[in-house]
Amino acid sequence: QVQLVESGGGLVQAGESLRLSCAASGSIVIFNTMSWYRQVLGRQRELVATISRSGSTEYADAVKGRFTISRDNGKNTIYLQMNSLKPEDTAVYYCYAPTVVLNYWGKGTLVTVSS
């Protein structure tokens, strides 16, 4: 059974950095596209960044220039380096990996940025 497990969340002050990781276990398939989403309580989940198997990336306008998504295909893991964090980045961050058969979500990791 495939599982996506996020880690690296926590409480930081504005301007600081965090690095999130998402490891896919139970899968021998290298996911084509993997993404990070985030959600604030009471609001819709929003796309933060996407990376293809080849390494092409896309970012939400709100995080461009501050966040960097990367991946290690050998480990079936993606990362999200978050710099210059702002209070509005506070959210639960989720890992997402779609396939032809199923779409997989992690359980999320909480990032809290204090002002």
Side-chain angles (χ1 to χ4, degrees), residues 13-96:
Q13 292 188 334
E16 296 184 338
S17 300
L18 277 176
R19 188 189 192 214
L20 306 183
S21 299
C22 169
S25 63
S27 171
I28 60 173
V29 175
I30 302 296
F31 294 106
N32 188 16
T33 298
M34 296 183 75
S35 302
W36 287 99
Y37 280 75
R38 66 186 182 185
Q39 186 171 25
V40 176
L41 188 64
R43 295 171 64 176
Q44 260 192 324
R45 196 169 292 188
E46 62 176 7
L47 178 63
V48 175
T50 295
I51 187 166
S52 71
R53 185 186 298 192
S54 63
S56 298
T57 58
E58 294 183 7
Y59 296 92
D61 287 343
V63 306
K64 280 181 182 176
R66 300 188 298 120
F67 290 11
T68 302
I69 189 171
S70 60
R71 68 187 292 169
D72 183 333
N73 289 334
K75 295 181 180 180
N76 227 356
T77 298
I78 63 170
Y79 306 93
L80 187 68
Q81 178 66 42
M82 305 185 294
N83 298 328
S84 302
L85 282 161
K86 304 175 180 180
E88 52 262 44
D89 294 319
T90 295
V92 177
Y93 284 72
Y94 296 91
C95 181
Y96 172 68

